[in-house]
Every structure is written in structure tokens, then in C-alpha cells.
């Protein structure tokens, strides 16, 4: 009886669908993001091991293959400044990130020094639009 039960479980496990991992970008990549213009841009995330992943934006695309650990990374070619784009990450499923822009990305930190306004700068008139 034990052997019969074990064989039944083994057969049922063989009929179970294969595990599927949806392609997902790293949480850093979201709607309304800004990516650096005029520079190659890496995009990465997770997928099923061995899954082919294609990243597309503004007519440019890059491909990657997920490793045994499910991690993938693709490098988009440099883009000119643009906005309102859709970045698509496609594997077995597709993820669309809306309102993506290419521009200048600034990483700033600090406290009181972050309050400095352009009009306090020397030659500030040159920077007013």
C-alpha cells in the first residue's frame, strides 16, 4: 500500500505544471522614472532560469538571458533626451513601465545645503528659462 501511494504521488507530481517565474524588473525601475541620457543604461531583474528577456524603449532594445539564479541584466544603448516613453520588459510575460524619460539624473543629499536656490548663484540670470 505504501508503494502504491508513493507511486501515485510521484505520478501526480509529474503531471503538475512546471514552476513559472514571471519576468520582473528590479524595484528601482518604475513608472515615471528618469534614466540618464547619452549613456548606456543597464536594466536588470529576475526571471525563470534560462529565460530570454528583451528590454525595449524608444526604438532601442537590448537582450539578456536569466542565469541559473534567475538574475538577468541588459544594457540599453545611449538615448537622447526624451519623455513620455514606455519601457517594455518582455520574457514569458511583459511588463510595461509608462511615462519614462531620458534626461539628466542628479543624486543629491544633504540638509541645509539643499536649500540653495539658483537665483542666489553668481550669474543666475543666465540659468532662468
Amino acid at each position: 500500500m505504501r508503494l502504491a501511494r508513493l507511486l501515485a504521488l510521484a505520478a501526480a507530481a509529474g503531471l503538475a505544471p512546471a514552476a513559472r517565474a514571471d519576468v520582473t524588473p528590479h524595484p528601482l525601475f518604475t513608472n515615471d522614472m528618469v534614466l540618464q541620457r547619452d549613456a548606456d543604461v543597464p536594466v536588470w531583474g529576475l526571471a525563470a532560469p534560462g529565460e530570454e528577456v528583451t528590454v525595449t524603449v524608444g526604438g532601442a532594445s537590448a537582450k539578456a538571458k536569466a542565469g541559473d539564479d534567475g538574475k538577468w541584466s541588459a544594457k540599453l544603448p545611449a538615448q537622447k533626451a526624451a519623455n513620455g516613453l514606455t519601457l517594455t520588459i518582455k520574457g514569458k510575460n511583459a511588463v510595461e513601465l509608462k511615462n519614462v524619460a531620458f534626461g539628466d539624473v542628479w543624486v543629491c543629499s544633504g540638509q541645509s545645503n539643499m536649500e540653495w536656490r539658483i537665483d542666489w548663484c553668481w550669474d543666475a540670470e543666465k540659468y532662468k528659462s
Side-chain angles (χ1 to χ4, degrees):
M1 184 66 168
R2 252 182 168 183
L3 182 59
R5 193 175 291 166
L6 184 60
L7 289 174
L9 285 173
L15 296 175
R20 178 171 181 257
D22 286 342
V23 63
T24 56
H26 185 277
L28 179 68
F29 300 100
T30 65
N31 293 321
D32 306 313
M33 70 179 163
V34 179
L35 300 171
Q36 182 61 49
R37 69 181 173 100
D38 300 328
D40 292 347
V41 175
V43 179
W44 64 92
L46 296 173
E51 185 172 353
E52 296 284 336
V53 178
T54 303
V55 181
T56 306
V57 65
S61 67
K63 294 186 182 259
K65 185 175 182 178
D68 292 340
D69 58 359
K71 294 178 182 177
W72 58 267
S73 179
K75 191 174 284 192
L76 288 168
Q79 301 290 299
K80 296 291 180 195
N83 62 21
L85 302 172
T86 298
L87 186 139
T88 303
I89 301 168
K90 188 168 190 207
K92 293 176 186 170
N93 63 303
V95 176
E96 286 191 345
L97 303 176
K98 306 276 189 194
N99 196 32
V100 173
F102 282 90
D104 288 319
V105 177
W106 294 76
V107 178
C108 303
S109 66
Q111 295 174 23
S112 60
N113 60 332
M114 295 303 296
E115 296 176 20
W116 192 270
R117 299 179 353 196
I118 286 288
D119 62 346
W120 295 349
C121 297
W122 175 73
D123 209 8
E125 292 298 317
K126 182 165 75 171
Y127 300 103
K128 288 191 177 180
S129 52

